[in-house]
Amino acid sequence: MEGQVATFLASALLVLGLGTLLSRRNLIWKLLGLNVASGGAALFLVALGHRPQARPPILGWGPGPAADPLPQALVLTAIVIHFATLALSLVYVIFLTEHRHTQDVPKLEREEGG
Amino acid sequence: MRRGAWLATLTLGGLIGWATTGLFPRPPLPPWEAVTSQWGARNAVAAVVLGARLYDTLLEVLVFSMALVGVRWALRPLPQTEGRPPVAESPLLERAADVLLPAIGVFGVYLAASGHLGPGGGFPAGAILGSGLLLLALARGIRALARELPQPLLSRLEYGGLAALIVLGGGSLTLGWRGAWLLVLANLLILAKVSTGAWVVLEHFAAHRGEV
Amino acid sequence: MTTLVLSLLALGLALFALRQRRLLWGVVGVGAHSLALAGVYLSLAAPDVALAEAAIGFGLVTFVYLLALRRAGRLVVAATPTYPLLYQEGERVAGLEWEILKKLAQRLHRDLEVLWVPREEIPRLLAAEEADLAAGGFLPAQSETLPLSRPLVPTRLVEVRVRPGPLGAVAGDRAADALPRGGRRFEDEEALLAALARGGLGGALVDLLRFRDWHLRGKLPEVELSQFPEELSFHFAVAPGEEEAILPALEELLDEMERSGALEDLLRRYLG
């Protein structure tokens, strides 16, 4: 039950994030959409590792089946990496803003052509 | 165009949701308890991150470092903002930061050092310590804090931590080192790496964009 | 059950955040969404992931976004100087529209910049996206189809008659549309006034606001006035390419100012 709810949430977040990424024109809005989508992807992995009535995969933490530790480990590092890559992409957004004075993607592309 | 994009993502999401609601049964778990105790841990996530999947973790730490190098390098040609007069924060925040920071520091180190026994580990602990520095920065002003902090020590922690982590990982991968000491040490090194990395990002952003 | 509640919360916050118009609210909403997501992780038996998500998604990521969106480029306003609406006072720019534009720029996190141009140039600048907004007593001509804000200040056209002779108007303006045959078009207001003073011109077609300004400045001798019946008003015009980014924010701002009475205060202060 929890796993299914979380899977639905994950796919909804993925749709929401990717839709924002495609439909907004401002770079920071696009990054916010990507942020939500990557949260959805991470949640999807964790939800796949979940079992009904599961407990955390730590020895001695109660009875019952444990959740799969592998996706959790994967997501743990991915979240931290996401922070670093987000900072890097924001740096490039700042760079564009300083040099071209806009964050609007169609405008940036048009100026490049002309 | 825009409607098409939304439709495509909706279809994708629907497919994912449909495909994972019981069509495929979940595979049985590997014997994670045995693996965990073999690495000298009680938290299976720590055993996976620092044991069974050490390659992944080392490479991810490398990606983290590369991204930070990128942040430093790409911001360098941009003009720095002039130091505006720092806004006088409420004394409550300043006092709270003074009281809370040692507690947050101890908590972070505890989380990292006990990461192989319970929830925690170097990555979340580093993020929490970074948030603590952020709190202090909000109280004092980031650039003032940057002058107070010992910069050489920080960069030694950052690069030394990375080098030591690679040595440790190499030893574990080739010479078969394992045990609780390895996990504790690696977690502490990751803590140093991640918290200094978070601080570097905050400091560089503040130097070029002004204080908050 | 907790998973369901937390999931709904996380989804609702993400929806709230991504549907905002102001980036600031979007960033804050995504931060709160991260916190709810950390709760979902906790209920999925993943405490390590929950810790990392709470510390990074809620703390560090939000903060980095906030620092990054302090300046989002320029907001270029193409304008003709019009006394109480938008004008230069020495080095400074002032006026009723300026007060609104300052607030708008703050909301969009952009730096304001004014291009003083002849009225005729404005549609071309907006179409080429060299400017984002048109202001300064902007009366849309009939042939112009720019996206407009709500009417700001009501006005009318008047015929100012000094002596018998041809009429003049500023080229590109609404008044130039109403110019009878034989009328002359001038590049800007100053050229029109100079021609009036020289005596080559019988009168001018202008809007009430500019007429009032000329009158107050003592630029006009005895005149004969006749008003046009058509009711017009000044607007902001937005560049077609920026319509989605700027127009909703502008309307929202004007809505709020109208509701709080700030707009009325401004009108009273600048127009009496």
Side-chain angles (χ1 to χ4, degrees):
Chain A
M1 154 73 185
E2 281 109 342
Q4 277 177 22
V5 168
T7 318
F8 275 123
L9 173 64
S11 39
L13 289 183
L14 213 60
V15 169
L16 202 61
L18 286 180
T20 308
L21 180 70
L22 290 174
S23 65
R24 291 267 186 173
R25 291 166 46 133
N26 184 294
L27 281 171
I28 292 191
W29 271 117
K30 280 180 188 287
L31 282 179
L32 275 175
L34 195 63
N35 200 338
V36 170
S38 85
L43 181 64
F44 182 67
L45 288 176
V46 173
L48 281 188
H50 186 73
R51 299 288 183 281
Q53 313 290 314
R55 63 186 171 86
I58 298 172
L59 288 179
W61 272 41
D68 193 345
L70 191 66
Q72 293 191 12
L74 192 65
V75 166
L76 182 64
T77 44
I79 290 175
V80 180
I81 301 302
H82 175 240
F83 166 66
T85 48
L86 175 79
L88 186 60
S89 37
L90 279 174
V91 164
Y92 283 112
V93 172
I94 291 175
F95 202 84
L96 276 176
T97 315
E98 290 288 321
H99 284 266
R100 311 276 287 278
H101 306 290
T102 182
Q103 292 175 345
D104 189 82
V105 172
K107 225 184 225 185
L108 285 169
E109 283 172 349
R110 206 169 321 137
E111 278 174 31
E112 200 145 28
Chain B
M1 169 61 202
R2 173 163 305 185
R3 188 164 301 167
W6 276 108
L7 209 68
T9 46
L10 262 176
T11 321
L12 175 75
L15 275 178
I16 293 173
W18 175 67
T20 50
T21 48
L23 256 188
F24 302 111
R26 307 279 160 90
L29 279 189
W32 62 275
E33 281 163 334
V35 176
T36 308
S37 24
Q38 183 198 344
W39 284 92
R42 298 181 70 78
N43 183 355
V45 176
V48 173
V49 169
L50 300 170
R53 292 271 169 165
L54 189 57
Y55 267 128
D56 292 8
T57 311
L58 283 182
L59 287 176
E60 298 215 23
V61 170
L62 271 182
V63 171
F64 187 78
S65 315
M66 292 298 289
L68 291 184
V69 170
V71 167
R72 279 203 175 95
W73 186 75
L75 274 179
R76 188 165 300 158
L78 292 183
Q80 300 217 344
T81 54
E82 306 88 48
R84 293 181 204 174
V87 187
E89 290 291 351
S90 71
L92 183 70
L93 182 60
E94 216 163 304
R95 195 59 57 81
D98 281 345
V99 172
L100 277 177
L101 191 75
I104 292 177
V106 170
F107 182 58
V109 173
Y110 163 75
L111 269 186
S114 71
H116 62 300
L117 298 176
F123 287 107
I128 286 172
L129 207 55
S131 305
L133 283 174
L134 171 64
L135 178 69
L136 194 63
L138 285 180
R140 298 243 180 98
I142 294 183
R143 311 189 72 182
L145 188 60
R147 281 191 292 275
E148 270 177 50
L149 287 176
Q151 291 296 333
L153 177 67
L154 281 186
S155 53
R156 220 170 292 161
L157 262 181
E158 197 187 345
Y159 296 115
L162 181 62
L165 199 61
I166 288 175
V167 169
L168 211 59
S172 170
L173 287 170
T174 56
L175 303 178
W177 299 346
R178 47 190 64 182
W181 65 274
L182 185 92
L183 302 186
V184 172
L185 212 54
N187 264 333
L188 285 174
L189 290 174
I190 292 177
L191 165 77
K193 177 74 204 152
V194 172
S195 54
T196 48
W199 171 248
V200 164
V201 170
L202 294 180
E203 189 203 339
H204 276 74
F205 270 65
H208 291 275
R209 295 261 111 176
E211 307 278 347
V212 162
Chain C
M1 195 58 214
T2 24
T3 318
L4 189 64
V5 172
L6 285 169
S7 298
L8 286 179
L9 188 64
L11 187 61
L13 281 170
L15 264 174
F16 164 82
L18 295 183
R19 294 184 55 131
Q20 291 298 309
R21 291 211 194 92
R22 289 182 70 180
L23 257 174
L24 187 64
W25 287 112
V27 168
V28 171
V30 168
H33 153 80
S34 284
L35 206 58
L37 201 59
V40 177
Y41 284 135
L42 199 60
S43 76
L44 286 181
D48 300 79
V49 184
L51 265 176
E53 176 74 36
I56 289 184
F58 184 58
L60 294 175
V61 166
T62 310
F63 189 76
V64 170
Y65 271 122
L66 287 182
L67 278 179
L69 60 79
R70 314 201 70 190
R71 274 162 59 206
R74 283 191 291 215
L75 185 69
V76 183
V77 179
T80 47
T82 304
Y83 167 61
L85 294 183
L86 192 64
Y87 57 97
Q88 265 175 310
E89 227 175 35
E91 290 289 292
R92 277 178 51 238
V93 185
L96 189 155
E97 291 184 339
W98 183 248
E99 309 265 346
I100 299 173
L101 286 173
K102 270 197 299 195
K103 287 203 176 109
L104 179 68
Q106 207 179 3
R107 286 202 171 194
L108 298 170
H109 306 282
R110 305 225 215 156
D111 302 327
L112 257 185
E113 200 179 290
V114 181
L115 291 178
W116 298 108
V117 293
R119 172 65 182 82
E120 218 177 357
E121 293 276 294
I122 287 179
R124 190 188 61 76
L125 283 175
L126 288 192
E129 303 212 346
E130 282 171 44
D132 303 311
L133 272 172
F138 187 82
L139 272 182
Q142 267 156 355
S143 58
E144 287 170 343
T145 51
L146 294 166
L148 294 176
S149 75
R150 73 181 60 186
L152 276 181
V153 181
T155 188
R156 283 182 184 205
L157 290 184
V158 287
E159 184 185 319
V160 185
R161 177 64 73 179
V162 184
R163 59 184 82 81
L167 289 171
V170 176
D173 199 13
R174 181 59 166 255
D177 287 346
L179 215 53
R181 194 177 305 222
R184 289 168 55 191
R185 292 176 168 74
F186 292 85
E187 192 180 57
D188 55 26
E189 228 177 296
E190 296 310 314
L192 175 61
L193 276 173
L196 262 184
R198 274 201 313 273
L201 209 58
L205 280 183
V206 287
D207 54 78
L208 269 175
L209 204 68
R210 283 197 181 82
F211 169 70
R212 200 186 73 143
D213 175 36
W214 293 355
H215 190 69
L216 292 177
R217 273 160 45 190
K219 292 272 184 185
L220 294 174
E222 295 288 299
V223 294
E224 206 176 295
L225 267 191
S226 52
Q227 288 197 7
F228 281 61
E230 189 185 4
E231 289 189 8
L232 301 169
S233 43
F234 295 111
H235 300 259
F236 288 115
V238 181
E242 286 280 357
E243 189 178 349
E244 278 169 57
I246 293 179
L247 201 54
L250 180 59
E251 288 293 326
E252 204 179 270
L253 173 68
L254 289 174
D255 253 345
E256 274 171 35
M257 289 178 73
E258 214 162 71
R259 236 177 294 127
S260 70
L263 197 60
E264 214 171 304
D265 280 351
L266 278 182
L267 285 173
R268 206 175 312 126
R269 210 164 86 217
Y270 280 97
L271 295 168

